[in-house]
Structure formats: structure tokens, C-alpha cells
Amino acid sequence: MAEDPTRTKAPKARAIPPAPRSARQLDQIVLSTLKAGLPYSAYEITRMAAQQGSPLSAMQAYRVLVRLIHRGQVMRIETLNAYALAPEQGSGFVVCRRCRTARTIVLPDREPDMRALCGTVGFSLSTMVVEASGLCAPCLGTLK
Ligand SMILES: [Zn+2]
């Protein structure tokens, strides 16, 4: 079908694709959202990144999280299905199952015991993550 040359077409609005960002830039976007210290879901990370003017797709966020976990910079908190900056060596997370807050706690050095225990079954320990779930003090207070 031939177009009518007398009709004018409105110019199509074109979305300008964002400039490609390097893996390092994407890592920094995710790390900056986690610097608040709280655990966030991948969805919350993408929402916060957009609010900061650096939108990420969910797929980009997951790829970055996998990379940061592999590097030991980020940890997945299974209880919350969320991600947080990795705690210092020799610390772990306590997660409140009622209000879903997470705190870092310093642990006594259990790695030698765990390494020995793993050795009894021929397993070589490389990292050890402690995540404990229960009730935080404010939530316990509401139950009394
Ligand atoms: Zn709580």
C-alpha cells in the first residue's frame, strides 16, 4: 500500500538507549545500593538504582550479584532472599524472622573447628558463612 504523501507523520519518539556501562560501573551501582548496610532483594536493588539515576534491569542486577558473591564482596542472606555487603571475616548475620532485619555479629573463631570437622569427611573448607534466624530484641519485647 502506497503512503499518502500529503499526510504528515509525527516523528516517532525514540528512546535513546543508555550508554553501555562496564562491568565495573555496574558493580559500583549495586555496591552503592548495599552500602546502606541493610539487606535488599534484587528487586529492591534495581528500584534503588533507578532512584539514584542508574537504572539496571533485573537480569543485570542478578549477573552483578553473582559476580560480587563470587568475589566475596556480597553475601546472599537465605532467610530473607536478599543480598548484603559481605561481613568481615569472623562475623555472621542474625536475622529476625518477624521484622526481617539483619545485623552483623562478631563470632568467636570457629573456623579451625569447622575446618577440622570438614577434614574428617575429606572436604576442604574455603569459606564459612554463619546465618542465624530468630527474634530481635524489639520483637521479643512485643511478645512479653
Ligand atoms: Zn525483629
Side-chain angles (χ1 to χ4, degrees), residues 33 41-51 54-59 61:
T33 63
S41 69
Y43 171 75
E44 290 168 324
I45 290 168
T46 59
R47 191 169 42 80
M48 290 167 62
Q51 286 170 351
S54 304
L56 289 175
S57 70
M59 190 55 77

Side-chain angles (χ1 to χ4, degrees), residues 3 16 21-22 24 28 32 39-41 43 47 66 68 74 79 85 89-90 94 99 103 107 109 111 125 139 142:
E3 281 190 44
I16 299 169
R21 293 170 288 185
S22 69
R24 188 171 175 204
Q28 284 308 311
S32 75
Y40 293 107
S41 69
Y43 171 75
R47 191 169 42 80
V66 166
L68 294 173
V74 166
T79 310
L85 293 178
Q89 192 74 350
V94 289
C99 68
R103 290 186 60 190
L107 300 167
D109 189 9
E111 197 173 306
L125 179 70
C139 286
T142 63

Side-chain angles (χ1 to χ4, degrees), residues 96 99 101 136 139:
C96 179
C99 68
T101 57
C136 69
C139 286

